Amino acid sequence: LRKCGAFVSLLKCIVGTGVLALPLAFHYAGILMAIILLLLCTLMLIHGMQLLIYSMVECSRRMQIGYATFPEAMVYSFAQGPGCFRYSAKAGGYLVDGVLAFSQYGVCVVYLVFVGATFKQIFDYYWQELDLRIYVAVVGVLTIPIFLIRSLKWLVPFNLLATVLIYSGFLMMFYYLFTGLPPLSERDIIYGKIENMGLFFGIALFAVSSVGVMLAIEAKMAKPEAYLGWFGVLDIAIFVVLISYTFFGFFGYWRYGDQLSGSISLNLPTKEIPSQIAKILIALAIYFTYPLAGYVVIDIIMTHYWNKKGELKHAKLKETLVRICFVILTTINGVLAPNLGPLLSLVGALTISLLNLIFPALIEICLYYPPEYNYGKLKWKLWKDIILIVVGTIILVEGTFFAIMDIVKEYGRGKGKA
């Protein structure tokens, strides 16, 4: 991938259903608190991402190999750490693969539910009301053909198309965000309810980061060194995303307040043609993003396990079968749990806190544990990593707990609305 292709793919992997749920996150945290926490979350996540990639490069150097994957870096670094880490080094590699796969799997489920919920609104208006689960199932079947594209390089045109579609949809959506604004005093200006902070972090983490795809893009770049740094592809993409997210979250919450759905696009009026077009554009953008999100899971299954040595017979045929089974599985999951809000929070809190904060910090701690290395003056690296682990653990526990409680509450009442 060239810098432009990497930038487009990175922008598309971050800007998805998460941004549409950000107004709901602002509702949970309050406007000022949400802006501050979103900025802090973004800085922490990007630091965690850069820390992870630099640690992977250091592992590659010490192992004297071309490229160390996330699981390989975890195994090697844990083997350099204290005794308790050494004993669990191999398990750490499996854990990374499992969390990465679950993270992207959850993203794919959310995508199917979102697209299904959007088209349900349109067809309910023009045709007749059908259960959301039917639409999720149909979208899943229609996703199979595009998910059979195996190369990340050939996904770039789809990512470019998706980026154009989603930003076009956003521009049309802004008309509804700017009209009929109530007095700002009717909203939580400083902070929201404390018990909802875990849900805020879950959505914010989901919206800002997509570790698996970020690593896959970096690994496939023609010049990986252009990915990091102050003006690298990652920082530029995140800057654009952060400005867009703050703007979108603020005006979305100001306009709809506590009437917000799991995705703000579902709040747009269904009877008006411009809002219908905006919804369809955004839904199509998310639909075309599914192959990029699912790429990571298939890559883990094939290159890390089933075809690790590249000697598997009929590898392409078997990968095709895996891809079809993956779409079917995510579709079944979406049919069983078609509620966007709790799904977003659960995936974000449970996986991103581990992949972006806790695991990179643990890797760096173990890498510099041997006596020939050090943590810098006053052991600043060690203290910084401990802070990352503590913050990540708090978000993990609180966000996961409240997301699960929300899911239990929703489905305990027998609801199936998105």
Side-chain angles (χ1 to χ4, degrees):
L1 291 175
R2 298 182 182 276
K3 286 179 68 174
C4 183
F7 177 78
V8 169
S9 297
L10 189 59
L11 204 61
K12 190 63 224 71
C13 88
I14 301 173
V15 180
T17 51
V19 63
L20 297 171
L22 268 179
L24 185 61
F26 272 62
H27 165 60
Y28 288 145
I31 294 172
L32 186 60
M33 185 65 73
I35 293 173
I36 294 171
L37 291 179
L38 182 62
L39 177 60
L40 291 176
C41 275
T42 304
L43 292 175
M44 276 198 308
L45 290 175
I46 295 310
H47 173 72
M49 194 71 223
Q50 294 190 341
L51 173 62
L52 175 60
I53 294 175
Y54 282 130
S55 296
M56 288 165 61
V57 170
E58 177 64 16
C59 287
S60 304
R61 186 187 67 80
R62 295 191 198 180
M63 296 165 71
Q64 297 183 338
I65 60 175
Y67 181 83
T69 63
F70 195 167
E72 287 172 343
M74 191 83 158
V75 172
Y76 176 81
S77 61
F78 272 33
Q80 308 300 305
C84 57
F85 287 96
R86 292 176 192 171
Y87 292 126
S88 58
K90 188 167 276 189
Y94 294 130
L95 179 62
V96 167
D97 273 338
V99 176
L100 263 175
F102 178 75
S103 172
Q104 295 305 127
Y105 172 85
V107 169
C108 289
V109 173
V110 169
Y111 283 0
L112 291 178
V113 173
F114 171 78
V115 177
T118 301
F119 280 103
K120 170 179 164 54
Q121 281 195 334
I122 304 296
F123 282 101
D124 281 358
Y125 177 69
Y126 283 106
W127 189 33
Q128 62 176 339
E129 287 195 22
L130 293 174
D131 194 293
L132 171 59
R133 292 170 174 83
I134 296 174
Y135 288 96
V136 174
V138 171
V139 171
V141 172
L142 295 176
T143 302
I144 292 176
I146 62 169
F147 194 59
L148 296 181
I149 299 172
R150 298 169 60 248
S151 172
L152 199 60
K153 181 180 178 180
W154 294 113
L155 289 177
V156 170
F158 288 95
N159 298 332
L160 181 59
L161 174 62
T163 303
V164 171
L165 288 173
I166 201 165
Y167 276 102
S168 299
F170 286 168
L171 287 174
M172 297 183 71
M173 193 184 293
F174 284 148
Y175 167 76
Y176 295 97
L177 297 186
F178 294 151
T179 55
L181 288 171
L184 193 58
S185 58
E186 293 183 8
R187 305 295 180 238
D188 295 324
I189 297 176
I190 307 299
Y191 60 87
K193 294 180 180 178
I194 300 298
E195 60 266 28
N196 287 332
M197 293 308 293
L199 295 172
F200 166 84
F201 282 115
I203 293 174
L205 293 174
F206 183 94
V208 174
S209 184
S210 183
V211 180
V213 182
M214 287 178 171
L215 290 176
I217 292 170
E218 189 264 346
K220 297 295 181 182
M221 282 188 68
K223 296 180 179 179
E225 64 273 11
Y227 193 69
L228 300 180
W230 284 106
F231 297 101
V233 173
L234 179 62
D235 280 4
I236 295 173
I238 290 297
F239 177 76
V240 173
V241 166
L242 183 60
I243 297 299
S244 306
Y245 277 18
T246 304
F247 191 77
F248 201 77
F250 171 69
F251 279 99
Y253 172 52
W254 185 3
R255 174 65 180 83
Y256 292 106
D258 57 5
Q259 301 300 314
L260 283 160
S261 300
S263 166
I264 193 174
S265 64
L266 302 179
N267 283 99
L268 300 184
T270 308
K271 298 180 181 180
E272 299 180 22
I273 298 296
S275 72
Q276 293 173 2
I277 294 174
K279 290 182 181 189
I280 291 171
L281 290 177
I282 294 170
L284 288 175
I286 300 302
Y287 170 77
F288 285 121
T289 309
Y290 184 101
L292 182 63
Y295 174 88
V296 176
V297 183
I298 305 302
D299 185 59
I300 289 173
I301 293 172
M302 297 303 298
T303 63
H304 293 194
Y305 296 97
W306 203 6
N307 194 23
K308 191 173 183 178
K309 296 181 180 180
E311 299 173 355
L312 181 68
K313 292 182 180 179
H314 310 297
K316 290 184 179 180
L317 175 61
K318 291 175 179 175
E319 181 177 332
T320 299
L321 293 175
V322 170
R323 286 176 174 271
I324 293 172
C325 290
F326 178 79
V327 176
I328 292 173
L329 193 60
T330 53
T331 303
I332 292 172
N333 198 156
V335 167
L336 294 175
N339 191 297
L340 282 172
L343 277 175
L344 285 164
S345 293
L346 180 62
V347 174
L350 183 60
T351 62
I352 306 302
S353 56
L354 286 170
L355 297 172
N356 250 107
L357 299 174
I358 298 174
F359 288 168
L362 289 175
I363 288 174
E364 186 175 57
I365 288 174
C366 292
L367 273 179
Y368 293 95
Y369 179 77
E372 61 268 30
Y373 300 99
N374 63 78
Y375 294 111
K377 193 173 182 180
L378 300 176
K379 296 187 177 181
W380 70 270
K381 287 183 181 178
L382 178 62
W383 291 112
K384 178 259 300 178
D385 289 337
I386 290 173
I387 292 172
L388 284 178
I389 292 169
V390 170
V391 172
T393 304
I394 292 172
I395 293 172
L396 171 67
V397 174
E398 186 184 4
T400 303
F401 173 77
F402 283 110
I404 291 175
M405 290 295 289
D406 247 28
I407 291 174
V408 171
K409 189 190 303 180
E410 287 292 330
Y411 302 117
R413 293 173 183 168
K415 290 184 179 179
K417 298 176 183 178

